[in-house]
């Protein structure tokens, strides 16, 4: 099964410029979600027959869930493409270990593997991200480590010399030296800490393990689909009906029936009738 993970990993490697990431996300979002029966059949083929194509189909059908979970970790300043790639590794490990005999959906099992891989990546890269967040700071970070001759703090003269040599201000050198000398943040709270205000760590900001990615993605997909259908239904209305709905419901400065009646030179009751008829058409389109 290790061969299966390696083969699939080759297909899922994110390469190329940033623009390709948007294309990747769009592409995986278009892959249909598997029905439970199809998922079970593929899982049995892979587990019992070693069918690599079945494993590949299982992974591919769940890439949208990986993207959804990875987006929850963007606050750490790490590239989304890297977060997704780590999540893909977790997805492949989940497929390798998934046993269809337990009669659970793969996504419910895989979410823990996906998060575990992303967690490890975040924790592994947290300190370097906090030490140097810009290109100039990263350059200073690596050069300052080479420039320091000992673990002692630089003297004023040494700070001036390093700053002149690297083309930065003495203040930036001192700030980076302070960062390098700082202790690493702990990622889990101290067990015996009695101060709740201080018992926090980067791990406290990781997504809740109780969140169900399948439900979250389904909710997002439903919202996107509903929004698209509403816009399509709005486009089918005449211009007056569209304007009345927007003026009454879709703007911060909402207008009254009487105000719109003055605009169109009709009665407020007529505006109400046009509004009710337009809403009826939108509702029919949304329920179709």
């Amino acid at each position: 099964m290790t061969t299966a993970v390696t083969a699939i990993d080759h297909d899922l490697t994110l390469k190329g410029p940033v623009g390709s990431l948007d294309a990747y996300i769009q592409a995986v979002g278009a892959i249909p979600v598997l029905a439970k029966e199809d998922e079970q059949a593929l899982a049995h083929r892979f587990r019992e027959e070693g069918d690599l194509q079945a494993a590949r189909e299982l992974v591919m059908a769940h890439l949208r869930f990986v993207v959804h979970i990875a987006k929850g970790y963007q606050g750490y300043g790490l590239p989304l493409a890297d977060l997704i790639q780590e999540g893909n590794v977790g997805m492949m490990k989940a497929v390798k270990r998934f046993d269809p005999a337990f009669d659970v959906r793969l996504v419910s099992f895989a979410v823990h593997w996906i998060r575990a891989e992303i967690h490890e990546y975040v924790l592994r890269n947290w300190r370097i991200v906090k030490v140097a967040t810009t290109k100039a700071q990263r350059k200073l970070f690596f050069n300052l480590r080479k420039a320091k001759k000992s673990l002692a703090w630089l003297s004023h003269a040494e700070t001036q010399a390093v700053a002149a040599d690297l083309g930065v201000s003495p203040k930036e050198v001192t700030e980076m030296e302070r960062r390098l000398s700082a202790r690493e943040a702990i990622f889990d709270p101290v067990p015996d800490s009695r101060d709740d205000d201080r018992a926090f760590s980067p791990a406290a900001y990781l997504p809740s393990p109780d969140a169900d990615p399948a439900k979250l993605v389904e909710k997002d997909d439903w919202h996107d689909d509903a929004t698209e259908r509403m816009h399509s239904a709005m486009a089918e209305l005449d211009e007056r009906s569209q304007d009345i709905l927007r003026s009454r419901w879709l703007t911060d400065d909402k207008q009254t029936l009487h105000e719109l009646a003055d605009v169109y030179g009709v009665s407020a009751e007529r505006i109400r009738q046009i509004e009710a008829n337009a809403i009826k058409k939108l509702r029919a389109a949304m329920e179709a």
Side-chain angles (χ1 to χ4, degrees), residues 17-177:
V18 177
S20 64
L21 175 58
D22 295 330
Y24 172 86
I25 294 175
Q26 184 176 1
V28 299
I31 300 174
V33 177
L34 291 173
K36 183 177 180 180
E37 296 76 13
D38 296 332
E39 181 181 288
Q40 287 279 312
L42 289 170
H44 279 293
R45 277 169 51 192
F46 175 58
R47 189 172 183 85
E48 298 168 8
E49 304 171 20
D51 188 336
L52 298 186
Q53 182 59 34
R56 184 176 287 105
E57 290 181 31
L58 284 172
V59 173
M60 297 294 287
H62 289 80
L63 293 183
R64 64 169 65 200
F65 296 108
V66 176
V67 171
H68 184 81
I69 294 172
K71 285 182 176 179
Y73 295 83
Q74 286 182 280
Y76 292 91
L78 298 168
L80 178 58
D82 292 346
L83 294 171
I84 293 174
Q85 188 62 41
E86 295 297 322
N88 287 345
V89 173
M91 185 68 235
M92 289 182 286
K93 289 184 177 180
V95 168
K96 176 182 176 182
R97 295 167 173 79
F98 181 60
D99 187 352
F102 287 104
D103 196 33
V104 297
R105 294 306 299 264
L106 174 56
V107 67
S108 300
F109 175 77
V111 60
H112 305 290
W113 290 95
I114 295 169
R115 286 201 176 112
E117 291 297 322
I118 297 179
H119 282 198
E120 183 179 350
Y121 175 73
V122 170
L123 300 182
R124 190 168 63 242
N125 291 275
W126 174 265
R127 188 167 188 265
I128 186 68
V129 170
K130 296 304 290 182
V131 167
T133 56
T134 67
K135 184 177 181 180
Q137 288 176 333
R138 288 193 293 270
K139 179 180 178 181
L140 177 59
F141 168 72
F142 290 110
N143 283 281
L144 185 57
R145 291 185 66 178
K146 296 177 182 178
K148 290 191 62 152
K149 299 178 180 179
S150 67
L151 295 177
W153 284 78
L154 296 175
S155 65
H156 177 72
E158 289 174 328
T159 299
Q160 295 288 337
V162 170
D165 184 52
L166 299 179
V168 297
S169 67
K171 181 180 179 180
E172 290 177 294
V173 175
T174 301
E175 174 62 24
M176 183 57 69
E177 187 181 24

Side-chain angles (χ1 to χ4, degrees), residues 189-195 199:
V190 180
D192 60 351
S193 174
R194 297 181 181 180
D195 189 348

